[in-house]
Amino acid sequence: MTDLREVAPGVFAWVQADGTWWINNAGAVHAGGEVVLVDTCATRRRTQAFLDAVSAATGGAPVTVALNTHLHGDHVYGNALLPPTTVIAAHELTRQGVLADFILANTPPVWSPTPDWGIDAVRAPSLTFRDEITLHAGDKPIVVRHPGFAAHTLGDAVAWLPEDRVLFTGDLVFHGVTPLIAMGSLSGALKSLDWLRTFDPLVVVPGHGPLVEGPQWTEVLAAHARYYEFVANTAESATSRGLTPLEAAREADLGEFAALPDSERLVLNLHRAYADTNGTDIDIAAALGDAIAYHGGPLRCAV
């Protein structure tokens, strides 16, 4: 089920079930006759459905600004469908990452079926920040912050609405879905949880998965910590025995994380852990190839 939910007056969450590969959440803030979006979606079909729902909920108010929380295509490809007058904002490293995107034009045979993007080219953010910026929908402030280090990616950003205590986390949080840190940092992902704990939200809109209500917030972050520690411990044990990331993943007992969708991301996360330990760059193509091998074929995709 996909729907637009008003989580506070004029604050909307676009929640796309079931939150697996390429199926992200997004949002919109409506005040003063204008709209600020938080992310777009992966494909023309999904982005247009999101934009149509926002337009219906806001009486056709113009989208003045769209924030991209990070560089991945499920959060940015839909930028191309926004009016030319919409300003797209993001962390400066997210802009660099969007400009370097290779998946839209030359999608590798990783997912099945191959995504039908319906979009010809990426549209990069034109307004960038380094640490923090405050956007406005009318007189409603939207505080956008970077944690100060790599976590899910190099340029992660959250959108915090202090008046409503609503937090859009981007992919710093995967709720009920296996986290992914292949293009970020394992230690940074762990560190980001302490940073996220400094917020006191009533509602959290994660990058993927169902909404998080305030009372759930502590446990959701604790579950992420346990997963990242599992990845770290698996990597440490495997490297000491000379195992590859794929061999380590095949040997690992997923335990409490076995039921999470996209468990093959363990392989990609181990590639990241190995690269961090060795001080090398991750080979994304090799990591995706190992994820396919672990999965036993192309990864499921429903976009």
Side-chain angles (χ1 to χ4, degrees):
M1 179 178 179
T2 298
D3 63 353
L4 190 72
R5 309 179 195 178
E6 190 168 17
V7 296
V11 182
F12 300 90
W14 180 248
V15 181
Q16 299 195 97
D18 55 359
T20 58
W21 287 106
W22 298 103
I23 303 176
N24 67 305
N25 297 332
V29 182
H30 175 225
E34 57 190 17
V35 172
V36 173
L37 297 183
V38 181
D39 285 328
T40 54
C41 304
T43 64
R44 175 175 292 273
R45 178 177 67 85
R46 287 185 177 271
T47 299
Q48 195 60 60
F50 170 47
L51 296 178
D52 288 347
V54 169
S55 181
T58 63
V63 177
T64 56
V65 180
L67 169 70
N68 291 152
T69 59
H70 62 289
L71 62 89
H72 288 150
D74 49 347
H75 297 258
V76 308
Y77 286 167
N79 292 355
L81 303 187
L82 298 174
T85 52
T86 300
V87 175
I88 301 174
H91 189 270
E92 59 189 12
L93 295 177
T94 292
R95 171 180 160 82
Q96 293 176 23
V98 172
L99 288 170
D101 179 84
F102 65 92
I103 290 179
L104 180 65
N106 297 288
T107 308
V110 173
W111 298 277
S112 180
T114 299
D116 178 13
W117 307 118
I119 294 168
D120 296 328
V122 297
R123 178 179 170 188
S126 58
L127 172 65
T128 62
F129 70 98
R130 181 166 298 171
D131 301 309
E132 179 177 315
I133 190 172
T134 300
L135 307 173
H136 292 85
D139 59 0
K140 187 183 288 289
I142 305 158
V143 181
V144 182
R145 294 176 182 157
H146 175 59
F149 46 82
H152 174 66
T153 66
L154 299 179
D156 300 304
V158 302
W160 170 240
L161 282 75
E163 296 177 350
D164 304 288
R165 292 173 59 194
V166 175
L167 180 66
F168 292 86
T169 67
D171 284 3
L172 290 177
V173 175
F174 288 78
H175 186 204
V177 184
T178 304
L180 179 65
I181 54 169
M183 297 181 72
S185 162
L186 176 54
S187 62
L190 263 169
K191 186 178 177 182
S192 75
L193 303 177
D194 290 332
W195 181 72
L196 288 168
R197 288 186 184 98
T198 65
F199 296 90
D200 182 25
L202 293 175
V203 180
V204 176
V205 184
H208 296 259
L211 299 176
V212 180
E213 302 296 333
Q216 301 174 284
W217 184 225
T218 298
E219 172 50 33
V220 168
L221 295 180
H224 279 68
R226 293 194 299 272
Y227 180 79
Y228 295 142
E229 288 162 359
F230 160 70
V231 173
N233 292 337
T234 300
E236 182 178 6
S237 172
T239 54
S240 70
R241 292 178 290 131
L243 301 182
T244 66
L246 177 57
E247 290 168 338
R250 284 174 166 163
E251 178 186 279
D253 178 1
L254 287 168
E256 68 172 297
F257 311 111
L260 294 180
D262 307 329
S263 60
E264 67 276 357
R265 289 177 177 170
L266 172 61
V267 185
L268 294 123
N269 294 334
L270 287 169
H271 269 269
R272 166 49 58 195
Y274 277 48
D276 288 353
T277 298
N278 297 329
T280 58
D281 290 334
I282 189 172
D283 185 336
I284 289 292
L288 286 170
D290 281 353
I292 291 173
Y294 176 88
H295 187 66
L299 311 181
R300 71 187 186 117
C301 181
V303 294

